[in-house]
């Protein structure tokens, strides 16, 4: 429809009431262009003429000017009383919207049902405003010398760029500019400018991510949580992440030993290789760089120098070189875990081991299969799974260095043995015990699959049975009741649930409910300026309840996994890239 001066004469029938219909197009105006009858189109034309002419039912006396582009639709029930309104082509105002002030839109803009747009508001092209949202481009004064109703009104205006989606129940306050290509989540309250490509949510709205960044697909079959609960959790996650980032440098300073420059897990503890690696992981997550005490190259040089050239293993500070086991790796001890933490710390620093892990590179398939059969799966499944984790990770680092992972056929033999020995009833290796229930079996499953199936990008066998087993274990009050959870036990549940959710939707709602409850509890475990504690253990071993680097490194990864399972990991603004990285470290190929 062409522009008409507000005082131009209109047709004789303009004062006649509009024809009645079922209100479909008022509430779903996007259907009007293709589905409206000639009678309905005539009614819409009369509606627009009344609006443009400023006379008749639905018109605002004295309206300054109204201009409607081609293909526009204005609902009969919309309260449109502007000082100026300019709608671009193919734009619409839906049922019960309330529009006043100076409103200008580009083409293809939508003001959906029950939306309020008031003040001086400018929309670019392709702006979608969800139902029940409010763009309030004016404000009252709050001086104490006058009642509120007598306060002067100001209007700085709201500007929205092109290609913007504003979700339902969003409030945008006066003075805000929203850049091109932004997405605003439902229920957000936008109080500050948002740069182009921002995805934001919460009250006040916070940046979640850049819309151009790749996003991990949501869990198949995921159902949204109730809006209010989800909004609260988004706010808590964002506040936690902001606080953790602000405190990260001080937390690392607290755990650096004066004089030696080595890292300790917590003040008063002895320095360990793992503490240095945990510091690297924490800095990468929260600061996006190496620990600030040394350049990345110096951190890497210190860690590389610890590797024993003969075996490729890394002993603890001051310890003798490790003695390889029957299939290449020791069964227990720090050197087995150092294959993981030192290797990934070096990777985060842009470096790598100086030498292959010779103790694994020379392992034959026969020796490996024989040793797998001898591991204590029934009574000590965690130790058996941890050994597989270390062996497979050493093979991964060997491949990264361009050498053979192990003797020909050994890596294939590992996955063949694991597939043929997984219990089809539990999906796991090992058995429950009267003393600890499923603890050893589940915890061993995490370690085993982390280094093998997850690290090499392979699907796990019997994923649905794994979920059954893990959810049953998560009800064991010996390990999962207030005051008893520790980082190891929570990690060893969430990682299998997260990993298997990539293959199946089996019991997805239960898994998300468990993750949501654990996520809320985990955020409350943060100690300002000190980080996370590992948590209590039945035998009193490990870091315990004192906040330190190990607990912080593990819980940061746990929080991400929990948040990702409920679809909120983007809020955190960090993503594990080391030991707990969600992507395969090295996809499997046909040969070792």
């Amino acid at each position: 429809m062409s522009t008409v001066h507000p005082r131009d004469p209109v047709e004789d029938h303009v004062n006649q009431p509009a024809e009645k219909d079922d209100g479909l197009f008022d509430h779903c105006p996007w259907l009007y262009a293709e589905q409206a009858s000639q009678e309905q189109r005539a009614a819409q034309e009369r509606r627009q003429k009344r609006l443009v002419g400023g006379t008749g039912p639905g018109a605002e006396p004295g309206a300054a000017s109204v201009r409607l582009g081609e293909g526009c639709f204005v609902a009969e029930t919309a309260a449109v009383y502007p000082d100026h309104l300019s709608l671009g082509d193919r734009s619409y105002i839906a049922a019960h919207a309330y529009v006043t002030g100076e409103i200008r839109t580009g083409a293809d803009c939508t003001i959906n049902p029950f939306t309020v747009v008031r003040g001086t508001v400018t929309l670019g092209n392709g702006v979608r405003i969800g139902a029940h949202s409010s763009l309030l481009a004016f404000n009252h004064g709050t001086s104490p010398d006058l009642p509120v109703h007598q306060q002067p009104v100001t209007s700085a205006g709201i500007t929205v760029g092109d290609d913007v989606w504003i979700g339902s129940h969003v409030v945008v306050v006066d003075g805000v500019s929203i850049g091109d290509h932004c997405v605003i989540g439902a229920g957000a309250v936008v109080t500050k400018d948002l740069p182009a490509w921002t995805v934001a949510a919460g009250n006040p709205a916070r940046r979640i991510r850049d819309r151009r960044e790749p996003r991990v697909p949501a869990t198949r079959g995921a159902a949204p949580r109730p809006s209010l609960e989800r909004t609260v959790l988004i706010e808590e996650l964002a506040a936690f992440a902001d606080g953790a980032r602000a405190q990260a440098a001080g937390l690392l300073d607290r755990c650096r030993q004066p004089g030696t420059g080595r890292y300790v897990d917590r003040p008063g503890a002895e320095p360990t290789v793992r503490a240095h690696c945990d510091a690297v992981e924490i800095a990468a997550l929260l600061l996006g760089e190496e620990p600030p005490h040394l350049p990345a190259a110096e951190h890497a040089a210190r860690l590389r120098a610890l590797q024993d050239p003969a075996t490729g293993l890394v002993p603890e500070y001051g310890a003798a070189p490790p003695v390889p086991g029957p299939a290449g790796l020791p069964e227990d001890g720090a050197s087995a875990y150092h294959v993981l933490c030192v290797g990934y710390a070096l990777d985060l620093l842009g470096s790598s081991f100086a030498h292959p892990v010779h103790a694994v590179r020379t392992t034959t398939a026969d020796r490996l299969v024989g040793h797998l059969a001898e591991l204590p799966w029934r009574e000590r499944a965690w130790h058996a799974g941890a050994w597989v984790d270390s062996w497979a990770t050493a093979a991964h680092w060997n491949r990264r260095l361009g050498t053979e992972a192990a003797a020909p056929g050994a890596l294939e033999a590992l996955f063949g043995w694991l597939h043929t020995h997984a219990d089809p009833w539990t999906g796991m290796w090992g058995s429950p015990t009267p003393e600890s229930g499923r603890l050893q079996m589940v915890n061993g499953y995490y370690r085993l699959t982390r280094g093998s199936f997850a690290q090499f990008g392979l699907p796990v066998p019997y994923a649905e049975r794994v979920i059954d087993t893990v959810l049953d274990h998560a009800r064991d009050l010996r390990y999962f009741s207030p005051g008893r959870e520790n980082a190891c036990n929570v990690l060893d549940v969430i990682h299998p649930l997260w990993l298997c959710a990539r293959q199946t939707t089996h019991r997805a709602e239960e898994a998300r409910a468990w993750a949501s409850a654990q996520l809320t509890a985990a955020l409350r475990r943060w100690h300002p300026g000190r980080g996370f504690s590992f948590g209590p253990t039945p035998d009193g071993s490990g870091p315990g309840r004192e906040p330190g680097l190990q607990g912080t490194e593990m819980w940061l990864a746990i929080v991400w996994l929990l948040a990702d399972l409920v679809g909120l990991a983007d809020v955190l603004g960090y993503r594990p890239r080391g030991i707990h990285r969600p992507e395969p470290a090295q996809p499997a190929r046909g040969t070792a």
Side-chain angles (χ1 to χ4, degrees):
M1 178 178 292
S2 60
T3 300
V4 179
H5 190 276
R7 295 295 176 240
D8 282 348
V10 294
E11 297 177 5
D12 292 340
H13 59 253
V14 72
N15 291 323
Q16 298 174 3
E19 298 164 357
K20 301 295 183 181
D21 59 39
D22 59 5
L24 171 67
F25 301 129
D26 272 17
H27 289 84
C28 306
W30 54 89
L31 301 177
Y32 172 80
E34 294 184 359
Q35 297 185 18
S37 65
Q38 289 301 318
E39 185 178 20
Q40 290 164 332
R41 293 179 193 278
Q44 175 59 200
E45 183 176 356
R46 291 193 292 273
R47 165 67 165 134
Q48 294 191 22
K49 285 183 176 180
R50 292 196 308 274
L51 186 62
V52 170
T55 62
E60 168 65 11
S65 61
V66 174
R67 295 177 175 86
L68 306 179
E70 296 293 336
C72 288
F73 179 93
V74 180
E76 192 69 43
T77 56
V80 183
Y81 305 129
D83 296 321
H84 172 80
L85 173 64
S86 177
L87 284 186
D89 295 347
R90 300 174 303 281
S91 296
Y92 61 72
I93 300 175
H96 305 290
Y98 180 28
V99 178
T100 70
E102 299 273 343
I103 313 299
R104 294 172 173 83
T105 84
D108 301 299
C109 289
T110 65
I111 298 175
N112 273 302
F114 300 97
T115 292
V116 176
V117 182
R118 303 188 65 195
T120 303
V121 179
T122 302
L123 309 180
N125 296 312
V127 176
R128 294 289 190 266
I129 305 175
H132 298 277
S133 290
S134 297
L135 276 63
L136 305 175
F138 64 93
N139 211 344
H140 287 279
T142 58
S143 174
D145 58 347
L146 286 175
V148 171
H149 75 276
Q150 295 179 4
Q151 295 283 346
V153 175
T154 61
S155 179
I158 293 172
T159 301
V160 180
D162 296 336
D163 180 37
V164 173
W165 177 19
I166 298 174
S168 297
H169 293 277
V170 170
V171 175
V172 182
V173 302
D174 188 36
V176 165
S177 292
I178 298 174
D180 296 343
H181 315 296
C182 287
V183 174
I184 316 299
V189 178
V190 185
T191 61
K192 295 181 180 179
D193 292 353
L194 296 175
W197 296 103
T198 297
V199 177
N203 180 9
R206 298 172 182 266
R207 178 189 181 279
I208 296 175
R209 63 184 177 93
D210 187 299
R211 183 177 159 194
R212 295 166 294 186
E213 294 173 355
R215 184 175 183 179
V216 176
T219 304
R220 287 181 298 164
R225 302 174 65 205
S227 178
L228 177 60
E229 180 185 358
R230 191 174 184 85
T231 298
V232 170
L233 187 54
I234 287 171
E235 294 172 359
E236 291 182 348
L237 281 169
F240 158 75
D242 289 345
R245 276 188 286 270
Q247 298 164 35
L251 187 154
L252 296 173
D253 285 340
R254 174 178 178 265
C255 294
R256 190 164 186 260
Q257 189 181 59
T260 67
R262 292 176 173 175
Y263 291 87
V264 298
D265 180 70
R266 54 204 181 280
E270 291 296 316
T272 62
V273 174
R274 175 171 184 163
H276 193 166
C277 299
D278 287 338
V280 171
E281 293 251 11
I282 293 166
L285 277 175
L286 298 180
L287 302 177
E289 59 188 16
E290 69 277 3
H293 312 106
L294 296 169
E298 181 61 27
H299 281 290
R302 292 190 178 196
L303 291 172
R304 282 166 61 91
L306 300 173
Q307 190 181 24
D308 172 40
T311 62
L313 299 173
V314 178
E316 188 54 86
Y317 291 133
V323 177
L329 284 180
E331 297 225 1
D332 288 304
S335 62
Y337 191 76
H338 291 167
V339 172
L340 280 65
C341 67
V342 176
Y344 274 104
L346 288 170
D347 191 54
L348 289 168
L349 294 166
S351 185
S352 64
F353 278 122
H355 312 282
V357 184
H358 298 297
V360 167
R361 191 172 62 86
T362 58
T363 303
T364 65
D366 288 344
R367 284 170 54 202
L368 176 62
V369 168
H371 187 68
L372 289 170
E374 294 173 358
L375 287 171
W377 296 105
R378 182 171 297 278
E379 66 279 5
R380 297 173 71 218
W382 182 89
H383 297 273
W387 187 91
V388 172
D389 186 6
S390 297
W391 191 95
T393 302
H396 158 64
W397 296 128
N398 287 347
R399 288 176 65 178
R400 285 282 298 272
L401 285 172
T403 67
E404 291 291 340
L411 195 57
E412 292 84 351
L414 170 69
F415 286 104
W417 191 94
L418 294 175
H419 270 286
T420 56
H421 286 78
D423 184 345
W425 295 104
T426 65
M428 298 191 175
W429 300 266
S431 305
T433 66
E435 298 77 21
S436 61
R438 298 174 179 82
L439 180 68
Q440 284 274 332
M441 183 171 65
V442 171
N443 290 11
Y445 181 89
Y446 158 68
R447 285 295 306 271
L448 183 153
T449 55
R450 191 221 69 85
S452 55
F453 293 94
Q455 186 163 235
F456 285 87
L458 297 172
V460 297
Y462 310 117
E464 293 185 353
R465 301 291 76 76
V466 171
I467 292 172
D468 291 339
T469 303
V470 169
L471 288 176
D472 286 347
H473 170 61
R475 290 196 291 265
D476 193 327
L477 297 181
R478 290 174 292 180
Y479 314 112
F480 299 97
S481 57
R484 294 192 176 188
E485 295 100 339
N486 64 43
C488 184
N489 292 344
V490 177
L491 175 62
D492 296 353
V493 168
I494 184 54
H495 189 273
L497 290 178
W498 177 89
L499 185 63
C500 291
R502 304 177 81 174
Q503 297 178 215
T504 177
T505 59
H506 180 64
R507 297 179 71 177
E509 185 175 349
E510 293 176 67
R512 286 193 298 271
W514 184 89
S516 180
Q518 286 292 330
L519 183 56
T520 299
L523 297 180
R524 287 155 175 70
R525 295 190 177 101
W526 178 263
H527 299 262
R530 298 188 295 161
F532 285 111
S533 66
F534 178 86
T537 54
D539 58 2
S541 61
R545 298 179 184 272
E546 174 64 23
L549 297 182
Q550 181 179 341
T552 300
E553 185 274 325
M554 293 182 70
W555 279 109
L556 286 173
I558 292 166
V559 166
W560 188 92
L561 289 164
L562 291 167
D564 197 56
L565 194 62
V566 298
L568 294 177
D570 287 341
V571 179
L572 291 167
Y574 69 76
R575 184 181 183 85
R577 296 187 293 117
I579 289 176
H580 306 292
R581 61 184 295 162
E583 300 86 7
Q586 185 175 30
R589 61 177 187 256
T591 62

